[in-house]
Amino acid sequence: MNIILIGPPGAGKGTQAGILVEERGMVQLSTGDMLREAKTSGTEMGNKVADVMARGELVTDEIVIGLIREKLEAGGTGFIFDGFPRTLPQADALEQLLADMGQKLDAVVELKVEDEILVERVVNRATEAQAAGKPVRADDNADAMKTRLLAYYKQTSPLIGYYYAKGLHDYVDGMADIADVKAEIAAALDD
Ligand code: AP5
Ligand code: MG
């Protein structure tokens, strides 16, 4: 089973993907994590996208599709696409890449969370990381969060209607406790 977790910044995509990896042995493909890794390891691409990410804008389709292509070409199944696709061209590319592997998407689960809560979550994450002397994500601040939300509503949320029309869309209440969100996702996947 291959699924997309879709939702605004801070909705809990990474948290829930981590649980699915633990409990179902699925494979998490987070383009955000891949881009941050590229930045940490000082690759040319990582340096190139660092400013764009810090502002909260989307990096180019070409770069993120390239990252996903590389992972899928290594083979496997049971993928959780976390934070990908974020644009229609990315959605088309994903469909083609999966088709080339003789696979398809089985579900697109949307995590719904109110905007004020999203801002609160990412600002809290930054404050807590700072207090513990851990690295703070460059885009976890109120300013970048505005841009991240704009990018989501302008470029990514149209995908929800697109996947609904394809009969793949389901949604869960992302404001519930992590365990309850997990249970709702399980119900959506197993129905
Ligand atoms: P990315 O890394 O994908 O970030 P994001 O989607 O903007 O947001 P987060 O990762 O912060 O949110 P999340 O939904 O994973 O929530 P999490 O589980 O962490 O992208 C970063 C940047 O990379 C983009 O802005 C763009 O520049 C670039 N990029 C990435 N992919 C791209 C693409 N495909 N195309 C173009 N550019 C791309 O949870 C958030 C917080 O809430 C945590 O502290 C968590 O503990 C807490 N939390 C989680 N669930 C709950 C709950 N149920 N109740 C209370 N708290 C909760
Ligand atoms: Mg994430």
Side-chain angles (χ1 to χ4, degrees), residues 10 12-15 31 36 57 59 83 86 90 125 137 148 176:
K13 303 180 294 293
T15 303
T31 39
R36 279 184 290 276
E57 293 163 9
V59 310
R86 271 171 143 99
Q90 292 179 26
R125 177 165 61 188
R137 262 175 64 164
R148 289 162 71 186

Side-chain angles (χ1 to χ4, degrees), residues 7-13 112-128 136-137 139-150 152-153 174-175:
K13 303 180 294 293
K112 278 185 187 276
V113 178
E114 282 170 18
D115 296 334
E116 303 87 273
I117 305 288
L118 296 169
V119 177
E120 216 173 273
R121 282 187 187 177
V122 305
V123 171
N124 282 346
R125 177 165 61 188
T127 316
E128 282 164 20
V136 177
R137 262 175 64 164
D139 59 352
D140 272 355
N141 55 71
D143 253 6
M145 194 53 183
K146 269 188 207 152
T147 311
R148 289 162 71 186
L149 283 169
L150 273 174
Y152 179 75
Y153 291 116
M175 312 245 286

Side-chain angles (χ1 to χ4, degrees), residues 15-74:
T15 303
Q16 296 298 330
I19 295 173
L20 289 165
V21 168
E22 286 274 307
E23 298 196 347
R24 298 186 182 222
M26 294 181 79
V27 180
Q28 178 185 9
L29 296 182
S30 158
T31 39
D33 288 349
M34 292 174 208
L35 291 164
R36 279 184 290 276
E37 262 165 43
K39 184 186 148 196
T40 309
S41 42
T43 67
E44 198 186 321
M45 185 268 285
N47 296 333
K48 196 169 125 189
V49 300
D51 289 344
V52 176
M53 290 176 74
R55 286 198 297 274
E57 293 163 9
L58 295 189
V59 310
T60 64
D61 289 337
E62 193 190 353
I63 288 177
V64 290
I65 291 168
L67 289 169
I68 291 288
R69 179 183 293 119
E70 209 175 290
K71 297 286 180 188
L72 294 184
E73 280 176 355

